[in-house]
Each structure stands twice: as structure tokens, then as C-alpha cells.
Amino acid sequence: MKFRILTFVFLFVMQHGLWSEQLKRQIGDFVKDIQIPELKFEIPKITKVQLTPSILLYSDYEDTFPIVYLDIHFYAGDSSLTNFPIELTSVLADSWKLGGSEKNPESELVKKIEDLGGTLSISSQNKKTVLSLSFLSKDEEKILEYLAELIQTPAFPETIIDKSKKKVMEGILRRNERTESLGFRKAREIVYEGFRRGIVPQLETTKTITRNMILEFYKEILASPKAIVLSGKYNKENLPKKLVEILSAKSEQQKYPKEEIPFSTLREKFYKKSLSQIFIQKPVNQSMILYFGVTPQHNHPDFFAIQLLNYIIGGGGFNSYFMQQIRQEKGLAYSAASYPIFEAKHGVIYFYTLTKNETLKEADELIQKILSLDTFQNIQEKELEDAKNSIINQFVFLFTNKHSVLSAQLGFDEDAMPENYLQIYRDKIREVTLSDILRVGKEYFDQSKLKRVYVSSKENLEKVFPNQKYYNPEDLIRE
Amino acid sequence: MVTRCKKENPLVKNLFILFFCVYSIHAESFADIAQKLKGKIKKIELENGLRVILMQNPTSPTVALYTKFLVGGVDETPEIAGTAHLLEHMLFKGTTNIGTTNWEEEKKFYALLKATGSELDQLRLEERYSKEQNKEIPEKLSKRIQQLSRRLQAVQEQQKKYIIKSEDTYIYEQHGQVGFNAYTTHDVTNYQIKLPANRIEIWAKLESDRLLNPVLREYYTERDVIMEERRMRVENRGFGLLLEKFISVAFDESPYSRPVIGYASNIPYLDIYETENFFRTYYTPDNMVIGIVGDIDFEKTEELVKKYFLPIKAQKTKRKKHRVLEQFHKGEKRFQFEYPGGSILMLGFHKPTLPTKEDVTFNIIDSILTQGIGSRLYQAAVLKEQLCSQVSAWTTYPGERFSNLFTIIAYLNSDAKPEKLEELIWKELDRLKNGDFTEEEIERAKNKITADFLRQIDSNSVLADNLTYYELLLGNWEEIFLSYDRLNSITKQDVIQVSQKYFQKSNSVLGLLIGQKQ
């Protein structure tokens, strides 16, 4: 009986539905009646002072809470270490922090900072090495003493260097645990093949690192230009002066030239590679699909159009094509997104999703459909306007935290953005047209301009992509 | 990356409680801060029972808006495990006003979809049961399943013609949202967003509508999404698997034994009517708290909240009291399994939850043992013996509504023997039990907690999350001030007593993921 009633209802509703008028309201109608009050907002003014020819200070004093945030950016990183092992930056960062000073060797110095409720972190990457401190305002003097020790008389004891090397090696052993990390690492390996950044850290080369190499790199760090980012409640008279004293003590000339990666060179190398699809086997029941390509540098005229197209394609959350078509429409994935990374000389863009092995092919076909000329040609004026609105209205969130405002400004300066970048940002976004979108779509987003990494189980790869070369996670991808 | 939920929220720290714990040390400066904070906070209670905590923080013209419900994994039975989390996903699917071009027409298909989907789930379960028992599947059953599957697909196609996908997100994006998201834990379900400060009314209209007129459209597609989420967070991640096994072994009676996301076996059968019922039971004004922190005017914000949230009917949550109670000291538990990657050790101890003094003492213990380079376990296990690369502790896992665990987590080095690390951890715990530590270590812990607090409070989101959390769990957010006396009085003797009482083998659970070469 239940079956018959349900069947009747089904047939009735299906017919009735087909005859009904379907479009009665438009997206967003529900809140159209709300009047939005004016938002009073001014772009904060940033104090930028050249303390010495090689030290630039970005600062913003704020006395709400008794805490200080201090970052020192040393412009020496892996890109200037062409004759040294790639793992040197990681070993240096760790052994600098844990090695302490001559007066307070090994972890004694960090412990003293922590005892005061302070934090210390050091990271070293491709272009720079960054030392970050935060501490209670009342401890400023003491903390500066420790900072001076750490910078002027770092200990770098052999015992700690060995431990740091071991830590790096343990990281290498664990680096394939997560499918996403593995996929992105392989993509970087391919994009940057032939550059320092394309070199994959290895156990054997880590073992070759010596204290002398660290000291040589450290000299380069001290000799490098520096930028200081300072916020919170600090002694306005004393702290900048002290920092100059600490940082100027042993300055020499930088010895090693930096390896630059210009957009044109990177793109040329990228397109020359015949290998366009890489298959990585890993025993998982959920596969990763990752498309990636090269984009221009941050201050390139296409930056704004790329931002907008990325928002529409995969960067705009639940309303992006990736989320709508892969997750919302088909239920094929939890995560599906794209994001571009812009640097001073070039950029890279990634498009990815994770889907169960059984739907790898279906999801891949969807991505190919999205990343196609047909998609870019059919983007409507309203979609572009919506993307502009979102990005422009989010602009105010660049300024929620004083320290992050300063750090963002430093980043813009590092990328050689125009001096009035923040002032013109919203207008530049408004100026982007559909033809700009189509142009950058063809140039940077089209699947023909991208390469792919698939991570899945061997059985699944053989089924979906038969007769291919299947790499193991630790195999180096070389043509 | 866009994520709409997080499975666990084990690291919600008792920031406010800890803050007042250090009050005595830096009395002058922190008394001022406490006063400053209190003066910026206002609590209102609507006639329908809804509580709203407002806090002014005009450092930028933005606002963080958090809506939290006292419902999570612990409110489920094993059969419906994952429902709180599924419901959280479903509440982003729109209402009778949002996500549809014509609700009057769409609702016919929606009713049919529910009836068809629910019956299909039941029949598929029957089919699975037959398979498990090696019974032949009746032809009638197979045919009916095929028929209903086709029908479900057809109804979905018809309903789709009326659906506007992610309309709420679209509206928020047009208004400059950041971080529109939600999470479900064992204890609570939380919906959050940050907006420019002049858009609060947009939020109030959308969120009240979400509670007044929800429609669980695209239910069956979203269930598939959750299976993908489970694959991503649990099934293909060693640590995810370890966590799931750890709570299932640690708790015999507590509802904390179940995973918030549900099981691979039951998610595909979570029933739409039961999910709707779950909403009606727990999403009531008396069971929720809203937190609004940022550049706000108290009066105008209160007016908006009343205008939009007062129409939600007052209703007493029909929460059944939990009858089960986890017992302590029931004997040592251990398990291990192999998985590709590095080894991980988890050692947990049953302990009481807030607002007891003992619970607070564990925060001091955590700091002494694992917080920072100078902590005892970092020094001994990471630096000296080089047995692991990282060590940390959770004081509130898996939640705080019921007794929970103090859990030490260590990522073992490839050449380290787990038994040696375990022995070392016990040695450090024994030192605490024997009083082999200094007053300075307690002082150091308090200093660290103080500064950590300050580092957190310039975030509207952190403030909104914590205010709503403690209002829900402790009944009144100002209760945190009362915790001060308990916390301020923690002494070396308290640490010794708590350590002696809880750090015993009979009260412990050890989980070990043995890493396998990849």
C-alpha cells in the first residue's frame, strides 16, 4: 500500500513539477531590503624608517596590551647558497635557535626567553632567514640582552648541529605521510627543476653538512640587508637604537649572488618539458589530482585579472567552479580549490582536489572541463562583478591586526609593488574586464598550459591511466 | 583551502581561566587588563532564552560572529554517530527563503526525496544485513532498491531545477566575508564568520532564517562529501586513525568513545528524518549562545539581534541526561597498529573536567612537561635522548562536558624504541609525583600562560569562540572570573597530589602507531 501511494505521489509531483513556473526569485533577493550603513575606514599609515643603509624598520606602536612583537628579516637564504647542500637552511635555523650563545649555550638561552613568557622562532627559506620574538613589555631590556647574545655570539655547538641534522632527516622520512603534501612536493619538484628550489632534501646530503658550512652561511646572514617589523608596546626611543647596535656589530659584505627565477625563464623551462602527467603510487583509498602551472610575478599587469579568475575558478570558496561542480553538484570531494602564489619574479598556480579512487577519472574529467577555453569564454559579466565585489569588500580584513599590516606591507615592498599599491588596489580590481579574464584564462589557466600530478594506489592508476610510468614517492621526477 | 568543518577541536584552551591563574604574579598590569576586558563585554538574554555576548574591540572596522550550540558527538547514540556533524554540513544547504528559486514548488520534490531516500536507506541496510549473513538477497528487495535508486535520482534532478547552490555563501561573499565556516566537536557545534562591521544585519537575517526555516536539500550528495572528508581526515592519515582508535579504547562508557565524523559503516545510512529530528531537538534558543566581537555599538547590535532572533520560538531542549559515567582506574589499556610513515605514541590518563581545581592543575602540568624548549619532556625526550622530534600534551581531549583525558603525544624518531620513550615519560611523571620539580617551574608555567593569553586576545575570532564556549559550558561566561581563586591558589603540592592520583598505569591508555617504511 505504502509503495502504491508513494508511486502515485511520485508521478503526480514529477508531472506537476515540469509544468510549474520555475524562476520566481533571484540569488541574493532575500537580503536586498537591508540598507548597509557606510563603513568608516582609512588605510592605516605605516611608519617606515631607514635606520641605517642596510636596516629598514616597519613599526606601529600600540599600548593596548603589554606585549611586543618583533621580526627581523635577514635577506640571505637558500637562493644564495648554490655551493651548499639544500638542507643547510633548515639545519641552520634549528641549530641557531637551539645552539644558544657563547654565554648561554645550547637551549639555555631559549629557556631564559621562555621563562619570561617570551617566544623565539627562526626560519630560513629561499630568499631570507627570519627571526621572530614576542615578549612582555616589562622584559624588553632583558630580552634585548638575549637577542644581542644570540645574534652576536651564537654558539652553533656540534652536538646541537647533529641533533638539527637528525631532525631534518626525520622530516624527510615522514614527508610522504600525507597525500596532499606529497602531491604538492612533486609539483614543486617539476616546476623548479634546474633551480635550487627544485632540489629535494635527501638523507645523504643532510649528513654532509658541517659546522663550517653553517658559519659561512651565518656570515652571509649577518652581512645581508635587514628589515625589522616591530609592533606592540615597546620603548620607542630605546628599542630601534638597540636593534641597530645589535645588528650592525659584525656587518661584512655578502659574498654569494642570489639565484633569481624570472618568470620568462621559468615558463620557458616549464613548457619545454615533455613530461606533462606524473603518476605517484601510494596505498590510499582517496586520490589526489593536482594541476599546476607558471604565472607572472606579483607586480605584473596581469596580477589583478589572475586574482579575479582564480576567485571564479577555485579560490572563491563554495561558489567557485571547483567547489560547485566537484563537491556541491557531484559529491566527489570534500576539498576542491585553486590558489596562486605570487613572488617578486614569478608565480605558480595550483588546482587540486581529493576524491575516492573510484571517482578519480570522473573528477579529473570535470577539472579538465573547468580548465578550458570554453569555461573562460562563457564567464558572464555578473560573475566577474560578483568576484570584484567580494574581493573589494574583503579588503578591510587586510588591516585587522597591526603586526600583520606591517608584515603585509613588507611583503609588498619585497615584491616591488608600487608605493601606492594599497591605495590603488580596489580600483585596479574594478578595471578588470571580461577580455582580460579570457586572456589570462588562455595564458595561465588553460589545461594545455598546465602539468598534472596524480597520487593514487598503484592498482587504481593502472586502471585509470594504463601503460604509464608510475613513480614511487621518493623517486626523483626527471625527464 | 576551503574547509567547512573540523572534526575535533581538542586544543580549545582555557584562555580566560589560565589568564586569571597568573593574576597574582602580575597583579597590577593584569588587573588593568581584566578590567578593560570586562568593561567591553555585555551579555543580553532574549525572552526566548537565547544568550548573546557582545564585546567591543574597535581596532579595525570588522566583526567576528560566532553562533554556538551545546550539541555534538556526545549527544548521539552509536547508530546515529556523525549526525551532529552531518547536520552542520546540511545547515549550509539553505532554507525555504535561501537556496531556492521557488520553495512552493520545490517542497513537493523535497518531501518525495525524503520519503524515497529514507526507504532506500532502510532497504540497503536490509541488503547489507543479508550479505553479512551470507543469505541470498531476495529478488523483490533488489528490484525495489533499483526502483528507488532510479526514483531518487529522478527526484534529485527535478528538485535541482529549483536549487540555487550555496546562496548563503554567495550573499556573504558579496558582503566581504572572511572565514565563513563551521565545526563540530564532541561537545559543541559552531558556526562562524567575519564581516565588515557594517554588515551585521545581513548576518542576523541569514542566520536567524537558517534556524527558523532550514531545508536539508542535497542531503544524499552531502553524505557522500562527508565520506570524502572521512577518507581525507581519518582513513588516509595515520594520526587520524590513531586518534579514532585511541578514544574507542580509552573510554568504555563515555560518549567520547565515538568519532565525531561517524563511522564509514554508518555514514551512508544516516537517515534524513533522524537528522531533521536532531535539529529540532538541539537547535533551540536555550541551547545556543551568540558571540559578537569587534567594532560594534551595543545598542544597535542588540536591536538587530532582537529583531531577527526573537521570532525563534522558545523551546526547552529535551536533552536526556547521560546515565553512563566513565570510571577511573579501571586497569591499563594498550593497543598498537602498523601504518606507513613514522611512529606516533599517545599516552592518556583519565581526569576530571572543568571547573574543578584538579582540571586546572593539569594546565600547569602540561606547561611543565611539554610547553616550550625548556619543558621537561622536550629536554629529555627530544634533545637529550633524541627519541622523538615533537612532544606535546592535550589537557581537554576529547572534550570538556564530561571527564576527559590528559594526553601526551610524541612523534618518534625512526631509530627510537617506543618502550624507551614510554619509560622516559613515566620517569618524568614519577618525578612530578615525587615532588622532584621546583617552584620556579610553576612560576615559569604561569609566565608562559600569561603571555600566551596576551598573544591570543587581539583576535576577534578567538575572543568570540571562547566567550561563547564558556557561556555554553559553564552557564555564564562570568563564571571564568570565579575560577580565579581556584587557579591562583595552585601550588607545588597540588601538582604532586594530582600527579599521584591520576598518573597511574591503572588509569592509563597507551596507543602506538608503528610506522612502516613508505
Side-chain angles (χ1 to χ4, degrees), chain B residues 163-401:
Chain B
I163 292 176
I164 304 174
K165 289 183 189 295
S166 309
E167 190 182 357
D168 55 352
T169 313
Y170 169 83
I171 293 170
Y172 278 139
E173 282 176 357
Q174 290 306 295
H175 290 277
Q177 70 85 15
V178 168
F180 179 39
N181 213 325
Y183 64 80
T184 307
T185 70
H186 281 90
D187 289 345
V188 299
T189 307
N190 181 76
Y191 300 82
Q192 65 202 54
I193 190 166
K194 286 185 278 183
L195 284 167
N198 60 342
R199 316 278 166 150
I200 296 175
E201 188 168 2
I202 297 288
W203 165 86
K205 189 165 184 185
L206 284 177
E207 295 311 311
S208 57
D209 185 53
R210 196 187 303 280
L211 300 176
L212 284 162
N213 309 300
V215 177
L216 310 190
R217 50 174 70 88
E218 299 176 303
Y219 183 85
Y220 299 99
T221 311
E222 199 60 26
R223 240 178 22 186
D224 290 344
V225 169
I226 288 173
M227 284 300 289
E228 290 294 349
E229 184 180 356
R230 193 186 146 80
R231 287 183 193 103
M232 187 183 88
R233 293 189 192 277
V234 182
E235 294 168 22
N236 291 290
R237 199 166 289 182
F239 190 58
L241 289 168
L242 176 61
L243 276 182
E244 190 166 293
K245 289 178 199 296
F246 189 73
I247 54 171
S248 75
V249 172
F251 295 101
D252 294 318
E253 298 166 63
S254 170
Y256 284 145
S257 65
R258 295 187 292 273
V260 172
I261 200 164
Y263 301 101
S265 62
N266 83 322
I267 293 171
Y269 303 97
L270 289 174
D271 183 81
I272 191 165
Y273 292 118
E274 286 177 349
T275 307
E276 281 187 335
N277 189 46
F278 199 82
F279 171 82
R280 284 192 292 271
T281 306
Y282 293 108
Y283 280 61
T284 55
D286 71 322
N287 199 40
M288 65 185 277
V289 174
I290 289 172
I292 305 177
V293 180
D295 188 8
I296 58 168
D297 175 282
F298 279 155
E299 209 174 305
K300 284 181 188 162
T301 310
E302 187 174 339
E303 204 177 290
L304 281 176
V305 168
K306 281 182 176 164
K307 178 179 168 187
Y308 288 101
F309 288 90
L310 255 182
I312 301 172
K313 219 171 99 186
Q315 182 195 327
K316 184 93 183 130
T317 307
K318 292 174 197 137
R319 187 189 303 283
K320 284 181 185 163
K321 291 275 179 209
H322 282 86
R323 293 169 195 167
V324 291
L325 184 68
E326 192 68 34
Q327 305 296 314
F328 293 5
H329 298 284
K330 284 175 72 176
E332 184 186 9
K333 294 174 179 178
R334 305 175 72 91
F335 71 93
Q336 68 178 54
F337 68 102
E338 294 178 352
Y339 193 79
S343 300
I344 310 172
L345 177 147
M346 288 181 78
L347 178 59
F349 299 90
H350 290 277
K351 64 172 258 298
T353 187
L354 52 82
T356 59
K357 187 175 175 181
E358 286 183 328
D359 173 61
V360 170
T361 308
F362 278 99
N363 289 300
I364 302 294
I365 292 173
D366 167 29
S367 194
I368 293 172
L369 286 178
T370 71
Q371 294 287 315
I373 305 293
S375 63
R376 287 175 163 241
L377 281 175
Y378 194 92
Q379 283 287 320
V382 179
L383 289 179
K384 192 171 171 214
E385 300 296 332
Q386 297 182 72
L387 296 170
C388 56
S389 57
Q390 285 178 48
V391 63
S392 58
W394 295 345
T395 57
T396 61
Y397 187 67
E400 293 185 281
R401 279 170 62 184

Side-chain angles (χ1 to χ4, degrees), chain A residues 275-293:
Chain A
L275 200 61
S276 62
Q277 302 183 61
I278 294 95
F279 305 95
I280 312 293
Q281 53 189 18
K282 178 175 162 66
V284 286
N285 68 8
Q286 187 181 52
S287 309
M288 181 185 196
I289 305 169
L290 172 63
Y291 284 57
F292 55 96

Side-chain angles (χ1 to χ4, degrees), chain A residues 272-313:
Chain A
K272 267 189 188 164
K273 290 183 181 82
S274 56
L275 200 61
S276 62
Q277 302 183 61
I278 294 95
F279 305 95
I280 312 293
Q281 53 189 18
K282 178 175 162 66
V284 286
N285 68 8
Q286 187 181 52
S287 309
M288 181 185 196
I289 305 169
L290 172 63
Y291 284 57
F292 55 96
V294 176
T295 58
Q297 70 275 13
H298 200 168
N299 67 7
H300 191 278
D302 283 345
F303 166 72
F304 296 97
I306 293 173
Q307 282 278 80
L308 281 160
L309 183 57
N310 174 63
Y311 191 90
I312 293 166
I313 296 290

Side-chain angles (χ1 to χ4, degrees), chain A residues 156-338:
Chain A
F156 293 117
E158 293 280 6
T159 49
I160 291 293
I161 291 170
D162 285 345
K163 285 172 186 173
S164 298
K165 282 160 67 175
K166 181 164 183 175
K167 200 186 275 185
V168 169
M169 290 193 280
E170 289 298 328
I172 292 170
L173 291 169
R174 281 183 181 270
R175 67 184 167 195
N176 301 318
E177 287 179 357
R178 289 178 65 165
T179 308
E180 305 94 299
S181 319
L182 171 58
F184 282 112
R185 195 182 84 239
K186 289 293 161 190
R188 283 192 298 273
E189 213 176 294
I190 295 155
V191 169
Y192 293 112
E193 188 185 344
F195 296 100
R196 292 279 296 166
R197 284 166 79 168
I199 300 174
V200 182
Q202 300 293 340
L203 298 176
E204 287 310 312
T205 38
T206 308
K207 285 178 194 163
T208 64
I209 291 172
T210 62
R211 185 167 186 267
N212 280 342
M213 289 179 190
I214 287 175
L215 293 178
E216 186 69 6
F217 180 24
Y218 189 68
K219 272 189 213 162
E220 194 73 1
I221 286 175
L222 281 188
S224 68
K226 299 155 194 83
I228 299 167
V229 177
L230 177 63
S231 67
K233 188 178 179 183
Y234 54 88
N235 185 325
K236 284 190 269 190
E237 293 299 311
N238 187 48
L239 187 52
K241 266 191 226 161
K242 282 274 183 194
L243 288 172
V244 169
E245 278 172 37
I246 292 168
L247 293 170
S248 304
K250 278 188 181 176
S251 285
E252 292 173 19
Q253 287 293 309
Q254 272 191 295
K255 263 198 221 169
Y256 302 101
K258 282 193 174 69
E259 178 192 71
E260 298 289 2
I261 310 179
F263 167 55
S264 53
T265 316
L266 189 67
R267 186 160 69 164
E268 196 187 335
K269 283 192 167 202
F270 187 73
Y271 288 160
K272 267 189 188 164
K273 290 183 181 82
S274 56
L275 200 61
S276 62
Q277 302 183 61
I278 294 95
F279 305 95
I280 312 293
Q281 53 189 18
K282 178 175 162 66
V284 286
N285 68 8
Q286 187 181 52
S287 309
M288 181 185 196
I289 305 169
L290 172 63
Y291 284 57
F292 55 96
V294 176
T295 58
Q297 70 275 13
H298 200 168
N299 67 7
H300 191 278
D302 283 345
F303 166 72
F304 296 97
I306 293 173
Q307 282 278 80
L308 281 160
L309 183 57
N310 174 63
Y311 191 90
I312 293 166
I313 296 290
F318 277 79
N319 277 297
S320 69
Y321 289 6
F322 260 59
M323 280 300 253
Q324 284 283 328
Q325 295 180 33
I326 299 170
R327 173 170 163 164
Q328 308 286 73
E329 181 73 25
K330 303 274 187 181
L332 294 178
Y334 175 72
S335 277
S338 68

Side-chain angles (χ1 to χ4, degrees), chain A residues 3 6-7 9-10 13-14 16-18 20-31 33-41 62-67 69 97-98 107 110-111 114-119 134-136 138 163 166-167 170 173-174 176-178 180 282 284-286 311 316-319 323-324 327-335 352 354-356 359 382 386 389-390 393-394 396-397 399-401, chain B residues 1-5 26 33 36 59-62 89 93 97-102 105 108-109 112 115 119 144 147 151 154-155 158 160-162 164-167 169-171 173-178 194-199 201-202 205-206 209 218 221-222 224-225 228-229 231-233 235-237 308 341-344 372-374 378-379 383 386 411-415 444 447-448 451 454-455 457-458 518:
Chain A
F3 168 55
L6 202 59
T7 304
V9 172
F10 174 70
V13 171
M14 295 299 276
H16 187 72
L18 293 173
S20 301
E21 185 194 349
Q22 289 172 12
L23 280 167
K24 286 202 169 168
R25 56 176 295 277
Q26 295 296 314
I27 191 165
D29 277 356
F30 186 59
V31 294
D33 59 319
I34 294 176
Q35 298 292 313
I36 306 292
E38 190 195 346
L39 188 72
K40 287 174 189 152
F41 164 65
E62 187 192 26
D63 63 0
T64 316
F65 297 116
I67 192 155
Y69 298 95
K97 177 180 169 179
L98 293 177
S107 55
V110 193
K111 274 164 73 179
E114 285 178 353
D115 286 349
L116 298 171
T119 61
S134 76
F135 50 90
L136 296 175
K138 69 182 177 62
K163 285 172 186 173
K166 181 164 183 175
K167 200 186 275 185
E170 289 298 328
L173 291 169
R174 281 183 181 270
N176 301 318
E177 287 179 357
R178 289 178 65 165
E180 305 94 299
K282 178 175 162 66
V284 286
N285 68 8
Q286 187 181 52
Y311 191 90
F318 277 79
N319 277 297
M323 280 300 253
Q324 284 283 328
R327 173 170 163 164
Q328 308 286 73
E329 181 73 25
K330 303 274 187 181
L332 294 178
Y334 175 72
S335 277
Y352 77 97
L354 293 156
T355 188
K356 61 183 172 294
T359 49
K382 182 165 187 323
D386 287 346
N389 272 339
S390 302
N393 283 327
Q394 282 176 346
V396 67
F397 284 96
F399 311 101
T400 49
N401 171 299
Chain B
M1 187 173 78
V2 178
T3 55
R4 176 138 279 172
C5 80
H26 306 293
I33 294 167
K36 266 186 198 171
T59 48
S60 75
T62 63
H89 275 237
K93 292 294 181 181
N97 297 304
I98 288 288
T100 183
T101 55
N102 186 337
E105 294 301 327
K108 296 163 195 163
F109 296 103
L112 198 51
E119 188 188 344
R144 182 68 179 147
Q147 188 182 30
R151 178 172 298 169
V155 177
Q158 285 300 317
K160 200 184 282 180
K161 292 175 182 168
Y162 300 95
I164 304 174
K165 289 183 189 295
S166 309
E167 190 182 357
T169 313
Y170 169 83
I171 293 170
E173 282 176 357
Q174 290 306 295
H175 290 277
Q177 70 85 15
V178 168
K194 286 185 278 183
L195 284 167
N198 60 342
R199 316 278 166 150
E201 188 168 2
I202 297 288
K205 189 165 184 185
L206 284 177
D209 185 53
E218 299 176 303
T221 311
E222 199 60 26
D224 290 344
V225 169
E228 290 294 349
E229 184 180 356
R231 287 183 193 103
M232 187 183 88
R233 293 189 192 277
E235 294 168 22
N236 291 290
R237 199 166 289 182
Y308 288 101
S343 300
I344 310 172
I373 305 293
Y378 194 92
Q379 283 287 320
L383 289 179
Q386 297 182 72
Y411 286 74
L412 278 92
N413 286 340
S414 51
D415 56 355
R444 176 186 172 278
N447 275 340
K448 176 154 178 47
L454 285 172
R455 280 185 273 269
I457 56 173
D458 66 350
Q518 298 179 84

